[in-house]
Amino acid sequence: MTAEPILEVANAVKSFDGLTAVAGASFTVEKGSITALIGPNGAGKTTMFDLLSGFAKPDSGAIRFAGQPITGKAPHRIARLGLVRTFQLTRVLAGMSVIDNMLLAAPRQPGQHLYSLLTAPRHANAAEDKARDAALSLLETFGLRSKAADYAGALSGGQRKLLEIARALMTEPSMVLLDEPMAGVNPTLGHTILDHIASLRQSNGTSFLFVEHDMDVVMNRADRIVVMAQGRVISMGTPEQIRADAAVIEAYLGGPAPEAKP
């Protein structure tokens, strides 16, 4: 039985200066799944992430998240619906501390409103304490607890990547788009991150769609794989199905298509 889709993309098209980056791509992501989006450089993967998260608007096609149309919506509106992303080139607030970067992403903070501070200061303080505890717990998971008071701009490239992933999870999303989560990260810590992602899927039902070039990670961690080439989706299936797909082998995995057996 096929699980309910949390994300649906239908015939998405996006061109830049006459060059088509996404050429009628269609796919779904099942609710509660860990799905990989793979393909050669220039396949349209990052552009697809931009379309899904609102950082680019499709020329045509439709995108639905959790049953709601999100085609062309602004990034902050999509994030409020529970769909958040990280970037290939990390984006952190360098002039703020690591813990403050995390707390900015905390949802439902009554302390952000003057009325709440004036009428229910204890409630606002309790919510802030809860958010701080959650932030420190995530920083512990990602090996950044000792850096909580440091400026985010002082972190290494790999540590910034970890902070960005932790900050995305701080929003309590129902789905996360991860753009090359293993790039620039120590392999041991990278696998800890992947373990945490699997745990979140198990405990909270969080869905993940990730772009990754490490095929061992893709084949061993993804439930399903979506393969793009030249802006189109050329295959979808389980890791076992993708390994055996002649079109994928020829277009991405670098080998000749297997010969048909007599």
Side-chain angles (χ1 to χ4, degrees):
M1 183 177 177
T2 304
E4 174 188 355
I6 189 171
L7 181 69
E8 303 166 85
V9 180
N11 301 313
V13 174
K14 182 64 180 178
S15 297
F16 299 96
D17 298 324
L19 297 176
T20 302
V22 176
S26 299
F27 65 93
T28 61
V29 174
E30 295 178 0
K31 189 174 183 179
S33 72
I34 298 175
T35 300
L37 177 63
I38 68 171
N41 290 333
K45 304 182 299 296
T46 296
T47 300
M48 177 58 72
F49 265 30
D50 288 342
L51 298 179
L52 298 177
S53 55
F55 286 88
K57 294 183 179 181
D59 300 329
S60 60
I63 304 170
R64 294 179 65 85
F65 173 69
Q68 298 188 50
I70 61 169
T71 313
K73 284 187 180 294
H76 69 278
R77 294 188 181 279
I78 294 174
R80 285 174 183 168
L81 293 174
L83 175 60
V84 299
R85 72 170 292 184
T86 66
F87 291 84
Q88 196 172 24
L89 299 175
T90 55
R91 300 184 181 186
V92 298
L93 298 171
M96 298 182 67
S97 69
V98 169
I99 187 68
D100 284 342
N101 265 263
M102 294 290 289
L103 291 174
L104 276 177
R108 301 179 301 277
Q109 287 298 296
Q112 294 175 346
H113 306 285
L114 180 60
Y115 180 79
S116 298
L117 285 172
L118 293 175
T119 59
R122 289 186 181 180
H123 176 60
N125 290 337
E128 184 175 335
D129 290 343
K130 184 178 179 180
R132 183 172 293 273
D133 289 344
L136 290 173
S137 177
L138 277 168
L139 291 176
E140 180 74 36
T141 297
F142 288 93
L144 294 174
R145 175 95 182 227
S146 64
K147 304 287 186 180
D150 294 355
Y151 284 115
L155 299 178
S156 69
Q159 289 171 331
R160 291 187 189 196
K161 171 88 66 176
L162 298 176
L163 173 57
E164 189 176 39
I165 296 172
R167 188 178 59 190
L169 295 175
M170 187 69 187
T171 66
E172 300 177 9
S174 50
M175 183 171 182
V176 184
L177 309 176
L178 299 171
D179 199 346
E180 298 193 32
M182 299 292 284
V185 176
N186 175 284
T188 300
L189 186 54
H191 284 285
T192 300
I193 294 171
L194 295 172
D195 289 341
H196 185 64
I197 287 170
S199 176
L200 274 174
R201 186 266 294 273
Q202 184 69 28
S203 60
N204 298 343
T206 310
S207 307
F208 293 89
L209 176 65
F210 71 98
V211 170
E212 183 55 60
H213 290 290
D214 186 327
M215 293 307 296
D216 285 337
V217 169
V218 169
M219 293 297 175
N220 290 312
R221 295 288 186 159
D223 306 314
R224 295 178 72 249
I225 301 172
V226 177
V227 187
M228 291 186 69
Q230 298 181 334
R232 300 181 182 276
V233 173
I234 62 170
S235 187
M236 291 185 290
T238 65
E240 292 74 21
Q241 290 169 330
I242 296 302
R243 281 194 188 100
D245 190 312
V248 176
I249 294 170
E250 186 173 5
Y252 181 61
L253 298 180
E259 297 181 4
K261 295 182 180 180

